[in-house]
Amino acid sequence: MQTVKVYAAVIEPKDANTLVRKLNQIAPLENLRHVKRVQKKCIDGGKLQLCLLLSMAVENDGEVDAMPYEILELVKSYQLSTFIAKVCKYAATSKEEWDEQCKLWPSSYHPPTYNISGITGFTEEESQSVFSFMRHAIDLATSCVGQVVNAAVIVDPSTKQVIASACDRVISSASPAYEVSKEGSCSDYPENLNSSNLENQQTSLLDSSIGEFERVISNVACLHPWRWAVQSLSPNSGCWHPLRHAAIVVIEHSSARDRQLFPDYKLNGEDSIKEDCTLSPSKRQKITDSDFQSNDHSSESVRPYLCTGCDIYLAWEPCAMCAMALVHQRVRRIFFSFPNSNAGALGSVHRLQGERSLNHHYAVFRVVLPEELLRNKV
């Protein structure tokens, strides 16, 4: 494991954001993008200490040169106590290597995308599973006669279990299309879908005129993310909530599920800080419902880290807001059926999954439905 020397300093937590912003401008870590600026650790008595990486240290004949002028000015201005630290020169290529790197200084680990299942192709069984979950998403999206919304389904691929499902709720309404997201989300996905009814319903929608179909899909939130700003609703039709897209709502449902399964887990306070200090830096993985059959699961299991390792199925390609929310959730794969030429963030307009500066990348797949369901260029 090759290392390089860097200048670092102990800082006050209140100054962290300001100092990071300034350092990103005057001393960007161009060759150490995998290394994090801030190191958080516990010292005597459980007190939290923050150390900030200032810049790389230039070595000449084994001696470290003086800090750059801009860094010295920053050190004097905030009266920082500096020291020399070592960080890993190259990004980790495995979780084991990442664990070792984090013992020196925190770094990021991005598994190579070619290790994600499906990149090199799907087996027949995997394909059938993908189509089944996508049909489930389409079924939710078309559950209200006469209109289509977006729908999202989060799946644990290791157990082929639906963790949460939801539809757009940008309009507060009592219609079935919006009430469907209130259903329980922890049950297993039904294996025997009524696919014939689903296809008949979709075909009837697609056989309509282009103008009529545009009206039918006018409530898909990701297709029209700014519609709330110009739309006027009648007093009896509800109210707009611009952020309640299907992906955002399903993330909330997944979080609610985790809180229900881990009632004793604390997000704030001293207990959570102590936990952060003792846990391995490896990311915690999703834990299935089968792990919670015993009465003592809350004391032995660890709450999953957001939606790490999960798949999400969307009827429509997500907009930038939803796609970025799924980056933060650490989902593994995104499947969508219909492209979003207005605001699609996964290929149609933008390509968020290819943005190198992000700290997480997921694989994106489009599930192409049978031709009769795409007759009018959905």
Side-chain angles (χ1 to χ4, degrees):
M1 184 169 60
Q2 296 187 43
T3 61
V4 294
K5 293 182 179 180
V6 296
Y7 290 111
V10 177
I11 63 170
E12 293 293 332
K14 61 183 178 63
D15 298 327
N17 289 335
T18 302
L19 286 170
V20 168
R21 283 197 301 268
K22 291 182 177 180
L23 286 169
N24 285 339
Q25 293 177 350
I26 64 177
L29 301 176
E30 294 294 342
N31 298 322
L32 296 174
R33 290 185 177 273
H34 60 286
V35 179
K36 297 185 178 181
R37 280 282 186 185
V38 178
Q39 180 190 62
K40 181 173 66 173
K41 60 182 180 180
C42 290
I43 56 177
D44 296 338
K47 184 179 178 181
L48 187 65
Q49 182 186 75
L50 295 185
C51 296
L52 181 65
L53 194 160
L54 301 175
S55 69
M56 291 186 64
V58 180
E59 295 186 69
N60 288 322
D61 298 326
E63 298 295 328
V64 178
D65 287 350
M67 278 185 261
Y69 173 77
E70 296 86 351
I71 303 296
L72 283 173
E73 289 297 312
L74 203 62
V75 168
K76 293 177 181 178
S77 176
Y78 285 86
Q79 298 181 345
L80 302 179
S81 176
T82 63
F83 60 92
I84 300 291
K86 288 185 178 181
V87 300
C88 289
K89 187 175 182 179
Y90 302 108
T93 57
S94 66
K95 285 189 176 181
E96 292 74 20
E97 187 178 347
W98 180 53
D99 285 339
E100 292 300 315
Q101 286 191 2
C102 290
K103 293 177 181 178
L104 292 177
W105 192 277
S107 64
S108 300
Y109 171 60
H110 305 304
T113 56
Y114 53 78
N115 286 339
I116 298 178
S117 176
I119 290 291
T120 57
F122 292 89
T123 65
E124 182 65 25
E125 181 181 358
E126 290 170 338
S127 297
Q128 291 301 318
S129 176
V130 168
F131 283 127
S132 293
F133 287 121
M134 183 56 71
R135 284 197 296 269
H136 182 31
I138 298 297
D139 193 15
L140 291 177
T142 58
S143 58
C144 185
V145 178
Q147 67 175 341
V148 177
V149 295
N150 204 0
V153 178
I154 296 179
V155 175
D156 183 342
S158 64
T159 60
K160 293 184 173 57
Q161 180 189 46
V162 172
I163 290 175
S165 58
C167 291
D168 287 334
R169 293 189 62 85
V170 292
I171 302 177
S172 298
S173 170
S175 64
Y178 300 100
E179 291 300 316
V180 69
S181 63
K182 293 183 179 180
E183 297 176 356
S185 58
C186 297
S187 61
D188 288 337
Y189 174 68
E191 294 183 1
N192 298 321
L193 282 175
N194 191 346
S195 58
S196 60
N197 290 344
L198 173 61
E199 291 181 5
N200 290 338
Q201 181 183 11
Q202 286 295 294
T203 303
S204 65
L205 288 173
L206 297 171
D207 282 340
S208 60
S209 66
I210 294 296
E212 176 64 16
F213 187 70
E214 288 295 325
R215 183 195 67 78
V216 168
I217 66 173
S218 62
N219 285 325
V220 177
C222 283
L223 288 180
H224 311 284
W226 289 99
R227 186 180 174 209
W228 63 272
V230 296
Q231 182 74 16
S232 60
L233 297 177
S234 62
N236 297 325
S237 63
C239 60
W240 282 100
H241 193 308
L243 305 183
R244 303 287 287 169
H245 294 202
I248 305 299
V249 179
V250 82
I251 287 171
E252 291 181 358
H253 289 182
S254 175
S255 177
R257 169 184 179 270
D258 288 345
R259 289 196 299 271
Q260 180 182 6
L261 295 175
F262 299 89
D264 298 329
Y265 184 86
K266 297 182 179 180
L267 294 177
N268 299 306
E270 184 178 355
D271 290 344
S272 62
I273 292 178
K274 289 181 179 179
E275 181 185 42
D276 288 340
C277 298
T278 57
L279 287 178
S280 163
S282 299
K283 292 180 181 177
R284 295 166 288 174
Q285 299 297 311
K286 272 286 178 185
I287 300 175
T288 63
D289 286 4
S290 61
D291 295 327
F292 306 105
Q293 300 302 320
S294 61
N295 293 329
D296 59 348
H297 70 263
S298 61
S299 61
E300 296 183 356
S301 300
V302 177
R303 180 172 173 174
Y305 183 73
L306 305 176
C307 293
T308 299
C310 288
D311 297 337
I312 185 167
Y313 293 78
L314 295 156
W316 298 87
E317 178 186 358
C319 62
M321 176 185 73
C322 294
M324 194 63 203
L326 295 173
V327 169
H328 291 307
Q329 286 296 306
R330 304 298 192 269
V331 298
R332 183 181 66 150
R333 300 184 299 184
I334 296 179
F335 298 87
F336 69 88
S337 185
F338 303 122
N340 179 353
S341 59
N342 291 338
L346 301 182
S348 294
V349 179
H350 308 287
R351 193 174 180 275
L352 197 66
Q353 71 272 29
E355 179 55 52
R356 295 184 61 183
S357 63
L358 297 180
N359 63 351
H360 175 74
H361 296 87
Y362 39 58
V364 178
F365 302 88
R366 182 185 170 194
V367 180
V368 180
L369 297 180
E371 289 185 5
E372 60 269 21
L373 302 185
L374 304 173
R375 193 169 302 163
N376 286 331
K377 301 180 180 179
V378 175

